[in-house]
Amino acid sequence: MMKKRIAMIFVTIMLFTCSSLFAFAEESSFTVISPTITSSSSIVYSDNLLISIKVAQGKNLLINLYYYPETTYSSAGAIKSTGVLVSGPHSFTSNNQLNFFTTQVNDIKHGLYCLSIDTVDAKGVIIDSEKQYFLTKGKQDEAPATKLFDNEVSNAMQFFQNLFKNIFGN
Amino acid sequence: MNKNKLKDKVQSIVLVVLFFSTILLLYFLWEGSSIRSLSLPTDVLFPAETAAELPEISTLIEPCIVQVNFGSDSYTVFSANSNALWSSFIEDYNKFSKSENVFIEEITSQQWEESMKFKSIQYKFNYALPFSEYFESVGSSKVPQFDSIKSFSIIAYSLASKVSLFVYDSVTDKYYRLISEKDRTSLSAQIDALSEVSHEQYYPINSFFGVKNDTLLPFAVKTSLRSIPTESEMYNLDQHTLNTLAEDFYGESLDFIRKITEDDGSIIYMYGYGQKILRFQKDNMLEYKEELTASSYVETSYLDALSIANVFVATHGNWSSLEGDSIVPYLRSAEGFTSDKKTGYRFNFGLKQDNYPVFYEEGAPIVVEVFGSQVSYYKRQLFIPTSLGLEPSTLEIYPIMSVLPTQYLTIRKILYDSGVPVEGFTSDEVFNSIASHITGVDTCYFKKSGDGVNTMIPAWIVCFSNLDIFFDLYTGEYLGYSDDRRR
């Protein structure tokens, strides 16, 4: 009985060790922090584009940013048009424990962009490639879409509050 | 007979004078009013030359930064010319305060944050200023509705509500919105005009490192800062000069003052059993302490206390250096303290070199404590440039977003030693915790302490809640830290 239990514990530990090893093996060599592209939104509201990528130690990356002035799609929905290189190629090698690659593109034209990140080995051969597409739009700077303050009501309320405060004191 | 009549008349006049004097003294005793209120104005007490060297209070008070959101996630920060922008804002506030219908409402921190996401301008101070007292002192109309705001450390304008000004009081941690019937300010046009001026692009820390922190970091800075050799204004002062300086504190005669020379060459002038102590630390600084006299305490407002400090510095060493070199002082930080349930103020004055703030590793250049109308503490350590400075470095500026990841272990040690909690075990967790604690980043001059270290070095200043850490602007190397804001 005791032997069985020890065997069970041993197997469980082995399973966890293996899964964590696999997790490390599949860990990406980089994380894109900016532009913020989530599964629900790939629109960036900005006139200036900051690119910030957190890079794991000992990795070589090749980073390019493409802009698509006119976008055409195939029947399957894939982008057919050719992108124009607006920033790059940036070669970045991460030597420290913590590494961030950062660059900025000011006064961008709004439209479709592609951030292309290639992982390169010591010989300069691309071993992995990732592309992130996103749209940029200008931010509306007029009055907020949803009213932050209800002026009229609060003004009237405040008027009476101030009036009563003046009469009766605080 | 005539003589007797004259005598009676004189006696009557003396009695009337005594009667009125008694009533006047009783009035002061009853009301607790200050005899000081009867004193002569500053320009009469001090000759014209001193008055000319007395900086206006309004020039000493300036925001540490002016933060502008141009909209579309485009930000910049003005720190070098914040005074000019603040003067312009005061004119706008004056127009705003003259509105017929003005209201005030308390808002939530979320409403504040949402408002600042729009095109906006924020004037941020390192200290809290009394709201009504300050704006009245700069010529604004009194608005009774605003009396409920005790103090402010940030004042802002946002296109989220064009008819409003936004106020943050760091003492009470409250947010307010001041509302007028229409936009009377030119701040919207000013923001547009500033966007046309050459400026550096800033981004929130969140965009660089993915941690929750809206503090802005510059992507790149252009500056011609160069190392500047300095010398203490106290360097090599002879005995005669020291005695003359001491006379400013003790009057014209030093007959009743004990003079002690310490082993390290420091000289102490002491009155009584230590009621007043003046110490000249050899070739370095001047420190003066006066025993608090709570019995003669007269309640003094914040700005009156600042005015007393201003006059005291002007008459005890001057606002220029002792050699007469011009320096540009500003109020760097201020905080209240209490003794016997009575309030005093501690003012730390900083200096600017070529519009950039100068920080010392230990202490502020000028510190004055005012308790009632009494100056209870005064410290002065000024380092004056001895030449225009070395040639500008040909090296490129080491970007701040590279400094932080390479120096995070040094930062962690300093924060840990100072009691700031840095969470996490892995390098990622520790770095994220540090990045989330940053409250400001700027360029400045830094002067390390120690004998023979007399150069002001161009530096990055990275601010945390209770201390500042400095890194070389061109190499990113750690230079030192200062927690003088707490002392």
Side-chain angles (χ1 to χ4, degrees):
Chain A
M1 190 66 184
M2 192 65 182
K3 275 182 184 175
K4 256 188 176 180
R5 274 187 185 168
I6 290 168
M8 283 286 282
I9 292 165
F10 185 71
V11 168
T12 314
I13 289 169
M14 283 297 287
L15 273 172
F16 272 108
T17 316
C18 286
S19 61
S20 59
L21 277 174
F22 279 122
F24 273 114
E26 287 177 9
E27 194 182 353
S28 174
S29 54
F30 61 87
T31 311
V32 178
I33 294 168
S34 284
T36 315
I37 305 161
T38 61
S39 54
S40 58
S41 171
S42 55
I43 302 172
V44 176
Y45 294 93
S46 183
D47 292 337
N48 303 295
L49 206 55
L50 175 73
I51 297 170
S52 180
I53 301 166
K54 190 176 192 176
V55 189
Q57 194 170 13
K59 301 287 179 187
N60 301 315
L61 297 185
L62 201 62
I63 300 141
N64 291 291
L65 180 71
Y66 297 96
Y67 169 62
Y68 293 83
E70 286 173 15
T71 319
T72 51
Y73 300 90
S74 68
S75 54
I79 295 166
K80 271 175 68 182
S81 46
T82 318
V84 180
L85 185 69
V86 287
S87 181
H90 303 285
S91 179
F92 183 78
T93 305
S94 55
N95 299 316
N96 304 320
Q97 219 170 1
L98 281 166
N99 305 274
F100 292 88
F101 165 80
T102 47
T103 188
Q104 67 169 350
V105 189
N106 289 334
D107 301 323
I108 53 167
K109 290 171 184 168
H110 294 301
L112 182 69
Y113 282 83
C114 172
L115 180 63
S116 162
I117 305 164
D118 299 325
T119 308
V120 182
D121 69 7
K123 292 172 188 167
V125 180
I126 295 171
I127 51 172
D128 189 24
S129 192
E130 193 173 314
K131 286 182 169 49
Q132 293 196 357
Y133 291 90
F134 57 94
L135 275 170
T136 67
K137 286 185 177 180
K139 206 176 198 177
Q140 293 299 310
D141 290 317
E142 300 307 315
T146 52
K147 261 196 164 182
L148 279 172
F149 311 105
D150 197 348
N151 279 345
E152 288 173 18
V153 174
S154 68
N155 284 359
M157 281 293 290
Q158 200 63 43
F159 173 77
F160 285 114
Q161 276 177 12
N162 289 331
L163 185 72
F164 291 143
K165 273 183 186 174
N166 286 337
I167 296 169
F168 301 111
N170 290 319
Chain B
M1 187 67 186
N2 278 345
K3 268 188 180 177
N4 280 342
K5 266 190 176 180
L6 188 69
K7 200 178 170 184
D8 285 348
K9 269 187 179 177
V10 169
Q11 275 179 345
S12 302
I13 290 166
V14 168
L15 274 171
V16 169
V17 168
L18 280 171
F19 175 73
F20 279 111
S21 305
T22 310
I23 289 175
L24 200 67
L25 283 169
L26 275 171
Y27 165 76
F28 281 115
L29 204 64
W30 191 259
E31 290 288 312
S33 300
S34 163
I35 301 283
R36 192 177 141 262
S37 58
L38 282 182
S39 61
L40 290 168
T42 311
D43 55 346
V44 179
L45 279 172
F46 300 100
E49 306 90 66
T50 312
E53 289 161 10
L54 200 64
E56 290 283 331
I57 294 291
S58 56
T59 62
L60 291 172
I61 295 174
E62 61 178 32
C64 58
I65 59 164
V66 178
Q67 184 175 313
V68 187
N69 180 355
F70 296 114
S72 300
D73 282 344
S74 178
Y75 302 92
T76 197
V77 169
F78 296 94
S79 55
N81 301 315
S82 60
N83 207 327
L85 291 169
W86 181 241
S87 301
S88 171
F89 174 81
I90 288 171
E91 284 177 28
D92 275 307
Y93 179 83
N94 286 348
K95 288 181 210 161
F96 184 89
S97 65
K98 282 176 186 148
S99 305
E100 283 181 12
N101 296 313
V102 282
F103 308 102
I104 177 173
E105 71 169 3
E106 198 179 323
I107 59 171
T108 62
S109 59
Q110 287 80 12
Q111 283 177 309
W112 172 281
E113 282 166 21
E114 284 300 315
S115 302
M116 295 311 130
K117 283 180 184 169
F118 290 84
K119 199 181 272 189
S120 57
I121 183 163
Q122 294 184 60
Y123 304 84
K124 295 186 172 185
F125 290 83
N126 264 340
Y127 39 86
L129 285 162
F131 191 90
S132 297
E133 188 191 355
Y134 174 75
F135 281 109
E136 280 172 48
S137 78
V138 291
S140 306
S141 308
K142 182 173 172 60
V143 184
Q145 293 93 314
F146 298 164
D147 283 348
S148 54
I149 307 174
K150 295 282 176 264
S151 58
F152 73 99
S153 45
I154 307 177
I155 192 157
Y157 170 86
S158 163
L159 261 66
S161 172
K162 291 180 183 177
V163 295
S164 305
L165 289 177
F166 296 81
V167 176
Y168 172 60
D169 181 353
S170 60
V171 177
T172 56
D173 194 27
K174 284 182 177 176
Y175 298 86
Y176 299 95
R177 186 165 74 104
L178 319 181
I179 311 141
S180 164
E181 78 279 12
K182 62 178 179 182
D183 186 5
R184 289 176 171 272
T185 69
S186 61
L187 291 164
S188 178
Q190 267 189 49
I191 296 171
D192 291 337
L194 285 171
S195 69
E196 302 298 322
V197 177
S198 169
H199 61 264
E200 285 143 9
Q201 196 67 39
Y202 280 67
Y203 297 93
I205 284 181
N206 175 37
S207 300
F208 282 110
F209 304 125
V211 296
K212 198 182 174 198
N213 189 344
D214 288 335
T215 305
L216 298 178
L217 295 189
F219 182 83
V221 291
K222 289 174 198 148
T223 174
S224 57
L225 288 181
R226 56 184 78 180
S227 294
I228 298 176
T230 66
E231 192 173 73
S232 168
E233 64 166 357
M234 302 281 169
Y235 182 71
N236 227 3
L237 289 186
D238 59 33
Q239 193 56 57
H240 175 71
T241 314
L242 290 180
N243 282 347
T244 312
L245 278 168
E247 283 168 2
D248 286 344
F249 292 85
Y250 296 107
E252 284 186 9
S253 166
L254 296 175
D255 291 347
F256 298 101
I257 308 300
R258 274 191 293 167
K259 196 171 132 192
I260 303 157
T261 305
E262 293 187 320
D263 292 343
D264 65 356
S266 299
I267 297 172
I268 295 171
Y269 294 80
M270 189 189 290
Y271 172 75
Y273 294 100
Q275 283 100 322
K276 292 179 181 180
I277 300 172
L278 173 66
R279 181 169 179 268
F280 289 107
Q281 189 175 306
K282 188 171 166 52
D283 296 341
N284 190 356
M285 70 166 179
L286 168 167
E287 196 173 29
Y288 174 73
K289 284 178 193 170
E290 202 174 295
E291 208 171 68
L292 292 179
T293 48
S295 55
S296 61
Y297 177 86
V298 179
E299 196 170 327
T300 312
S301 73
Y302 182 99
L303 291 181
D304 279 348
L306 181 59
S307 189
I308 290 167
N310 186 16
V311 172
F312 192 86
V313 176
T315 51
H316 297 81
N318 214 330
W319 276 109
S320 302
S321 79
L322 297 177
E323 295 292 326
D325 300 307
S326 64
I327 53 175
V328 184
Y330 69 100
L331 181 61
R332 180 185 292 170
S333 63
E335 59 189 1
F337 66 91
T338 52
S339 174
D340 279 348
K341 295 179 183 172
K342 295 180 174 76
T343 309
Y345 298 95
R346 179 187 175 93
F347 300 105
N348 289 345
F349 294 96
L351 302 179
K352 285 197 173 179
Q353 177 71 40
D354 305 329
N355 270 336
Y356 288 90
V358 180
F359 291 90
Y360 300 157
E361 191 172 33
E362 280 180 36
I366 294 174
V367 181
V368 185
E369 280 181 13
V370 181
F371 184 68
S373 57
Q374 178 196 6
V375 171
S376 54
Y377 182 77
Y378 174 48
K379 191 177 84 172
R380 181 184 175 100
Q381 52 166 352
L382 297 185
F383 292 89
I384 308 301
T386 51
S387 72
L388 288 173
L390 309 172
E391 283 302 304
S393 174
T394 51
L395 290 168
E396 281 190 18
I397 288 173
Y398 202 87
I400 188 64
M401 57 273 194
S402 302
V403 173
L404 296 171
T406 49
Q407 295 287 357
Y408 82 100
L409 288 174
T410 310
I411 299 172
R412 179 177 70 167
K413 187 177 181 314
I414 294 163
L415 293 181
Y416 182 80
D417 292 346
S418 306
V420 178
V422 178
E423 297 91 15
F425 296 102
T426 66
S427 55
D428 276 359
E429 289 168 349
V430 170
F431 178 76
N432 288 350
S433 177
I434 289 169
S436 63
H437 279 103
I438 294 171
T439 57
V441 167
D442 206 350
T443 46
C444 68
Y445 280 106
F446 178 70
K447 197 207 147 290
K448 215 170 160 52
S449 298
D451 292 337
V453 186
N454 286 324
T455 307
M456 293 196 299
I457 302 168
W460 284 113
I461 173 172
V462 181
C463 307
F464 294 88
S465 61
N466 58 350
L467 57 87
D468 304 320
I469 306 179
F470 301 88
F471 300 96
D472 191 297
L473 192 64
Y474 297 104
T475 64
E477 284 171 15
Y478 168 69
L479 295 173
Y481 79 97
S482 167
D483 61 355
D484 75 84
R485 279 182 291 167
R486 285 202 302 178
R487 277 184 265 134

